[in-house]
Amino acid sequence: MLVSWDVLAIAVVVLVVGCIVALAAVVVIKGSRHARERRRTVHENAVRSRIMALAVAEDEALDALVQELASTPGPLGDHVEQTLLRMIPEVRGDVREAMISVLAARGLLRRSLQRISSRSAIQRAGAAELLGVLGGSEVIRPLTAALRDKNLEVRLVAARALGVAARPEAGGHLVDALSLTSGIPHSVAATALLNLPDQDPTVYIEGLRDRDAGIRYGSAAVVGMLLMSEAAEALFECLLAEGGRENASDVVVAACARSLGRLSYKPATSELAEISCSSSASSSVRQAAGEALRAMPGAEAREVRRHVMERADADVRRILVDA
Amino acid sequence: MPHKILVVDDDADIRDLVSTKLESSGYEVETAGDGVAGLELATNNGYSLVISDVMMPGMSGVDMVRMMRAAEPPVSVPVILLTAKNQERDIESGFAAGITDYVVKPFSPRELAARVAGILAR
Amino acid sequence: MDNILEPLRAGIQWLFEITAYPVLAYFIVINTSLLLLIIFASVNFTSHLRRQSFTGSRVTAASPLSPGISVLMPAYNEGAVIAASVRAVLDLRYPDHEVVVINDGSSDETLQTLIDVYDLVEDQREVSIKVPVRGAVRRTYRARDTALPIIVVDKENSGRSDSLNMGLNVASKDLVVMVDADSLLDPDSLLVVSKPFTDDPEHVIATGGVVRVANGCEVVAGRVVSVNMPKNYFARIQIVEYLRSFLLGRAGWSQLNSLILISGAFGMFRRDLIIRAGGLDADSIGEDFELVMRLHKLMREEKRKYRVIFIAEPVCWTEVPSSAAVLARQRRRWHRGLWEVLTKYRGMTFNPRYGSVGMIALPYYWIFELIAPAIELFGIFIVPLGLLLGVVNVPYALAFIAVAYLYAIFVSLMALLVEEASFHRYNRWRDLWVALSVSVIENVGYRQLTAVWRMQGWWAALRGKKQVWGTMTRTGFESSAP
């Protein structure tokens, strides 16, 4: 015989058992999920209208409602938390504050502040995210500390969370997080910076002179997106200096060019024209310079564009043809 | 008679929040969970105003408005669009389709109610 | 009579003896590797699901700094669906994306529909050709409203790959994603599939989305709104097949960082790299597979650290063949493509220079994807013959077959289990019973049929027959795990 009977018999038995176990697991998982969903519907009906009432209650009625939701116990209470966490990012104003005060009164802030120093990276990341949603001045310190967490994912989530929390004092820390050494992709840190209110241009002017290419890139991108005209000159200097740097980066040049375009910084026009036709610049840099040129207003810029159209490569011409 | 308002959003949380707020301001509110149902309701019932999300399964809010305006006879009820942040394209195509106003998420229900009152007062 | 039967019996006996141990070894190795893939896939899923809450998609969706995406959509006689497909892509939740439709010499109203619906005007801008293209371009169009990010290229018919290459020349964003006009995309699909690029821009070079079966689902205006089991026999079986091959196969390979097959129906790539690699190979039948292999080769030879990532989140739905004839054509084509790509990159197989791709993934595809149908058919042929001639006894043969098929059923059950524990898109109990019965039924008939079709595809490839499928096959290249 090819394979002994015993082996075959054992294999059949093992497989049959395996199939039955797998099947049972599917049925159990599906059944419990359905049961959970049914329970959730029951909870929903119980507290939903109370949660929604946060949008209309005022003064003492609001205080009483917040108190009521904050002291809702057990699974119903968990449900309140989940619903509020889902809704908070969608709303702003009074309702948002009322919702956050319910969560704070339930101890979510305290629990998250504990969890952000947990040993599990997933727990820390989850806590960082919650802290971002809850916001307020007390979450900034733990979140900026988490920007230097040993786990990259936690750092990433913390950077995003600082953007969600949107407090101006996080600015300097997020600029530091732009650094290439942080491991946080600079688009993530820069996006968070875009969300902060009342920012100080001097932070970015310094950032544009930083030795770290990541910080230069992020500063350049943010300055343009937030239309900080105070930093335009530094931006132009950064563009000019980049070529002479040891760690010169195309990404920085492209970001500077785009931002100069967004700021309509006219003194940069001829330099941008030069770059857009330069054979030593990479294609992406030429195109960024072209985009910036397209955005420049005024008759002089139009004249420059006409010249560029004669010299530039097809991709740049494609960008400029509309202008 | 109170004004009748239609709220179209696939997110039940937002739907309920907006309708709770508007009902407390004294309006009569009906809701739909997607563009297709919204279009159907808007065509058949006379509303004073429609509030709609953009991103919904099936038919987007902008498409819904487009089809309302293109219907025979056109449904010309004022529409407020709820758009996500930085989706300027939605706002552009929304106005091209014929919306009256827009509110960017995250939104303030209080502000939304004020806009509703403003439009209905015209 | 006896003097004819006797040598035949001896021959079969001999066949059994020499193949017994190789077949047994094959059986053990294939099942063990499947089990390992299941384990890797579970690891992949657990980490994915635990992170689901903090994906940051809300932030990415609103950020002007998110990488731009060009959505390339080749269209050949898609007049009926093209307007809705383009609208669906324009409406996807993403801050910066454009649609590039390449009309591949359609003979229907595809182009005119686009011109009318999106108010297109001729685009006078010149296109710099970075990837060579065969089909002559007739004209390019763009919307009169320049804020509407749509470009339509009208060109002579030259096939899907060549059309995509033209699309690469026109595309202007950092990332490109290839979709078919009849694919149904979830509103968040671009966010989900581009996420690895945002999180790890240095290393991620390609991501592949999962493709799910759209048959039976309720579809409104180009969006899947409710997921159901189809009524059609072939479509039902393919649901389980796709779950198995994507959820278990791809996720497992992705975990090993040796994913060599990305679905053509929804793969996202860095544009600069794809252009540097020379675009898609217009002569290849498995062009998507070929492209990913070429990128792997390029990266490994440059000794760069890179990642190709599979995304399990269901975001792309496609209609699968529901008739035997179309299904047969698809499977022949897939297998032919598999053979062509594997032979083209045979130098990488068992070559330590190419790391886990060369040492694990490629050998696996050779042995367990390419040869599998041959072994299957050999079994179908030899076991009855052996029984007939009394070389093997009946209970023994039955037990052997039971082990083979029970194992197949077990793997399907694991796929259902993983789906149930992760995305559970098939919500009703009825769906589960259908899926269960299908995992049993497919072993009789379907399995053998597909084995035959795959062999035919292989045979066609070996004979070097020219490709005469005529119409463009839409789903792109998916090999199915056994």
Side-chain angles (χ1 to χ4, degrees):
Chain A
M1 277 296 138
L2 310 174
V3 186
S4 82
W5 266 108
D6 298 348
V7 175
L8 266 191
I10 290 168
V12 169
V13 171
V14 167
L15 282 171
V16 168
V17 171
C19 285
I20 290 172
V21 170
L23 178 59
V26 175
V27 170
V28 167
I29 293 176
K30 202 179 185 79
S32 61
R33 187 163 51 81
H34 280 192
R36 258 202 321 277
E37 273 161 19
R38 271 197 303 278
R39 270 202 307 276
R40 205 178 56 212
T41 326
V42 175
H43 291 157
E44 288 228 1
N45 296 337
V47 293
R48 203 169 171 78
S49 62
R50 304 301 297 152
I51 294 176
M52 297 305 158
L54 284 170
V56 285
E58 296 200 1
D59 304 332
E60 278 123 54
L62 182 62
D63 293 342
L65 184 57
V66 168
Q67 202 46 53
E68 175 197 329
L69 288 170
S71 53
T72 309
L76 213 55
D78 294 342
H79 184 74
V80 170
E81 282 177 20
Q82 282 158 19
T83 312
L84 289 178
L85 282 172
R86 223 171 39 228
M87 293 183 71
I88 285 172
E90 303 282 354
V91 295
R92 59 184 178 81
D94 303 351
V95 193
R96 186 190 174 101
E97 276 161 33
M99 289 177 167
I100 287 176
S101 56
V102 170
L103 290 179
R106 294 193 62 84
L108 201 66
L109 185 62
R110 188 173 38 78
R111 269 180 283 152
S112 304
L113 288 172
Q114 279 163 4
R115 268 174 63 211
I116 202 162
S117 44
S118 144
R119 276 169 63 191
S120 141
I122 296 234
Q123 291 279 331
R124 291 200 301 278
E129 198 197 22
L130 283 183
L131 288 177
V133 173
L134 293 171
S137 56
E138 64 269 50
V139 307
I140 301 305
R141 191 197 284 268
L143 280 180
T144 48
L147 283 177
R148 287 179 295 277
D149 195 282
K150 58 181 181 292
N151 180 289
L152 173 61
E153 185 156 30
V154 178
R155 297 203 294 274
L156 228 153
V157 175
R160 287 201 180 107
L162 281 168
V164 175
R167 306 279 302 191
E169 61 264 37
H173 296 276
L174 278 171
V175 171
D176 289 344
L178 285 166
S179 156
L180 293 180
T181 53
S182 76
I184 302 171
H186 31 246
S187 71
V188 171
T191 300
L193 279 167
L194 289 181
N195 228 7
L196 307 189
D198 316 320
Q199 300 201 58
D200 179 7
T202 52
V203 175
Y204 295 99
I205 293 173
E206 269 169 44
L208 287 166
R209 296 177 185 140
D210 202 280
R211 274 167 49 200
D212 188 295
I215 294 183
R216 290 200 301 279
Y217 158 80
S219 306
V222 173
V223 160
M225 288 293 173
L226 295 183
L227 300 176
M228 280 182 193
S229 44
E230 302 92 324
E233 216 178 301
L235 195 59
F236 189 36
E237 279 164 25
C238 177
L239 176 84
L240 293 175
E242 191 68 21
R245 280 185 185 273
E246 207 172 291
N247 59 354
S249 156
D250 280 356
V251 186
V252 177
V253 180
C256 285
R258 286 208 181 86
S259 290
L260 285 166
R262 282 186 65 91
L263 291 169
S264 311
Y265 186 68
K266 285 190 188 164
T269 312
S270 60
E271 182 64 29
L272 287 171
E274 211 48 56
I275 296 174
S276 68
C277 302
S278 152
S279 55
S280 57
S282 74
S283 163
S284 64
V285 166
R286 286 199 301 266
Q287 288 179 44
E291 279 168 34
L293 267 188
R294 187 177 62 183
M296 288 291 174
E300 194 190 338
R302 204 171 312 128
E303 189 60 19
V304 171
R305 278 195 291 269
R306 216 170 45 78
H307 281 293
V308 170
M309 281 299 278
E310 287 160 15
R311 293 192 293 147
D313 69 81
D315 287 320
V316 173
R317 288 204 301 272
R318 202 177 154 78
I319 290 166
L320 284 177
V321 85
D322 287 335
Chain B
M1 210 178 101
H3 284 292
K4 248 172 45 175
I5 297 178
L6 175 66
V7 177
V8 191
D9 198 317
D10 58 330
D11 183 343
D13 296 335
I14 305 288
R15 219 160 52 213
D16 291 356
L17 190 71
V18 172
S19 42
T20 309
K21 181 73 193 171
L22 294 178
E23 274 163 6
S24 83
S25 312
Y27 304 110
E28 195 178 310
V29 182
E30 285 175 26
T31 58
D34 60 70
V36 181
L39 181 64
E40 165 111 25
L41 282 172
T43 314
N44 298 325
N45 308 3
Y47 294 104
S48 311
L49 182 81
V50 174
I51 298 173
S52 175
D53 186 26
V54 179
M55 189 64 69
M56 290 180 290
M59 186 190 290
S60 81
V62 176
D63 278 346
M64 184 184 80
V65 179
R66 211 175 276 136
M67 293 183 78
M68 275 161 55
R69 306 305 192 221
E72 203 47 61
V75 185
S76 53
V77 50
V79 178
I80 299 181
L81 208 58
L82 282 175
T83 68
K85 202 175 157 190
N86 279 322
Q87 292 284 339
E88 285 141 354
R89 194 182 298 152
D90 288 343
I91 297 168
E92 261 180 43
S93 51
F95 277 112
I99 59 166
T100 317
D101 200 354
Y102 69 91
V103 168
V104 176
K105 283 184 193 173
F107 71 103
S108 147
R110 186 185 282 250
E111 187 190 311
L112 179 66
R115 280 174 197 258
V116 168
I119 290 174
L120 292 178
R122 276 182 211 166
Chain C
M1 216 31 204
D2 263 9
N3 40 8
I4 308 166
L5 272 180
E6 206 41 58
L8 186 60
R9 189 173 291 142
I12 296 286
Q13 179 82 47
W14 175 79
L15 247 184
F16 263 98
E17 270 161 23
I18 61 155
T19 53
Y21 285 97
V23 167
L24 182 67
Y26 184 85
F27 190 72
I28 290 172
V29 178
I30 193 169
N31 288 340
T32 318
S33 47
L34 270 173
L35 256 184
L36 285 175
L37 276 179
I38 292 175
I39 293 168
F40 286 125
S42 327
V43 173
N44 186 298
F45 279 154
T46 326
S47 67
H48 175 87
L49 288 173
R50 291 184 72 180
R51 280 163 180 81
Q52 218 171 17
S53 92
F54 35 87
T55 51
S57 69
R58 197 190 293 272
V59 175
T60 313
S63 170
L65 297 176
S66 301
I69 300 174
S70 296
V71 181
L72 309 185
M73 186 189 278
Y76 176 73
N77 289 350
E78 302 278 6
V81 296
I82 193 73
S85 310
V86 170
R87 169 59 56 196
V89 173
L90 287 172
D91 284 349
L92 293 177
R93 208 154 74 96
Y94 200 78
D96 181 19
H97 67 289
E98 62 170 8
V99 191
V100 179
V101 182
I102 309 97
N103 179 36
D104 188 19
S106 298
S107 53
D108 72 348
E109 70 285 5
T110 303
L111 180 65
Q112 198 53 48
T113 307
L114 285 171
I115 292 177
D116 295 344
V117 173
Y118 295 99
D119 190 18
L120 302 181
V121 292
E122 195 173 341
D123 186 354
Q124 304 286 358
R125 297 175 297 176
E126 73 185 290
V127 178
S128 69
I129 300 296
K130 300 163 207 94
V131 180
V133 179
R134 295 174 184 171
V137 174
R138 296 179 190 141
R139 226 172 241 140
T140 50
Y141 299 85
R142 61 171 163 170
R144 190 187 307 276
D145 168 13
T146 47
L148 193 66
I150 171 171
I151 296 178
V152 175
V153 182
D154 182 33
K155 57 177 259 301
E156 307 281 339
N157 181 280
S158 58
R160 179 175 181 271
S161 312
D162 197 51
S163 301
L164 284 168
N165 283 341
M166 188 56 217
L168 284 171
N169 288 322
V170 178
S172 61
K173 310 286 183 188
D174 290 344
L175 302 175
V176 289
V177 61
M178 302 167 180
V179 303
D180 292 330
D182 58 348
S183 290
L184 307 167
L185 302 176
D186 270 18
D188 279 349
S189 48
L190 292 182
L191 283 174
V192 171
V193 178
S194 68
K195 179 172 185 289
F197 290 97
T198 331
D199 285 356
D200 188 3
E202 297 282 312
H203 302 119
V204 176
I205 62 161
T207 58
V210 73
V211 173
R212 293 265 182 135
V213 177
N215 307 44
C217 295
E218 194 188 325
V219 176
V220 179
R223 294 271 152 81
V224 171
V225 287
S226 145
V227 181
N228 301 302
M229 278 281 173
K231 300 255 181 304
N232 179 279
Y233 165 80
F234 285 110
R236 276 184 174 179
I237 291 185
Q238 285 173 88
I239 285 188
V240 178
E241 211 182 5
Y242 273 51
L243 281 183
R244 214 164 43 202
S245 116
F246 279 112
L247 278 181
L248 299 182
R250 306 277 164 88
W253 287 118
S254 181
Q255 189 66 26
L256 289 171
N257 195 21
S258 27
L259 185 65
I260 57 174
L261 225 165
I262 280 186
S263 149
F266 204 61
M268 189 178 277
F269 301 86
R270 261 175 57 180
R271 187 169 59 100
D272 57 339
L273 274 178
I274 221 178
I275 284 178
R276 213 171 87 208
L280 291 150
D281 178 358
D283 289 322
S284 177
I285 299 176
E287 69 273 6
D288 308 308
F289 187 12
E290 202 278 336
L291 173 66
V292 179
M293 280 310 299
R294 197 136 36 90
L295 289 174
H296 271 295
K297 189 158 185 276
L298 190 73
M299 293 289 114
R300 297 271 178 183
E301 280 170 3
E302 291 181 357
K303 299 207 168 19
R304 280 175 49 174
K305 254 183 82 185
Y306 71 102
R307 296 206 291 158
V308 176
I309 289 178
F310 167 77
I311 288 146
E313 194 106 22
V315 287
C316 176
W317 307 75
T318 191
E319 195 88 11
V320 299
S322 51
S323 75
V326 181
L327 186 65
R329 210 163 61 194
Q330 182 196 49
R331 295 306 155 100
R332 286 190 204 114
R333 182 172 168 268
W334 284 359
H335 214 71
R336 189 172 169 174
L338 180 67
W339 164 257
E340 287 188 358
V341 177
L342 287 178
T343 44
K344 180 168 177 187
Y345 291 97
R346 60 186 178 278
M348 287 171 72
T349 317
F350 285 123
N351 188 338
R353 199 177 152 200
Y354 297 100
S356 54
V357 171
M359 298 306 285
I360 306 174
L362 279 173
Y364 177 93
Y365 273 86
W366 272 100
I367 302 171
F368 301 124
E369 290 282 348
L370 189 71
I371 304 182
I375 306 247
E376 174 111 30
L377 288 182
F378 176 74
I380 293 175
F381 167 77
I382 192 105
V383 172
L385 209 60
L387 282 174
L388 208 66
L389 298 170
V391 179
V392 251
N393 72 40
V394 179
Y396 186 82
L398 283 181
F400 208 95
I401 292 169
V403 172
Y405 288 158
L406 273 174
Y407 205 94
I409 293 171
F410 176 68
V411 172
S412 297
L413 281 173
M414 289 306 289
L416 291 178
L417 179 62
V418 171
E419 159 70 6
E420 194 59 53
S422 52
F423 302 110
H424 44 74
R425 288 300 158 104
Y426 296 93
N427 193 34
R428 297 171 309 177
W429 283 104
R430 245 199 74 230
D431 296 334
L432 177 62
W433 308 134
V434 170
L436 281 176
S437 59
V438 160
S439 1
V440 178
I441 295 169
E442 68 163 339
N443 289 302
V444 187
Y446 184 83
R447 239 179 104 138
Q448 292 75 13
L449 265 179
T450 44
V452 171
W453 293 330
R454 290 163 78 183
M455 288 305 286
Q456 287 173 339
W458 194 0
W459 179 239
L462 287 173
R463 282 177 44 211
K465 214 167 67 182
K466 248 305 185 226
Q467 194 60 24
V468 280
W469 305 142
T471 57
M472 196 166 72
T473 313
R474 311 172 307 194
T475 330
F477 189 88
E478 326 291 347
S479 170
S480 57

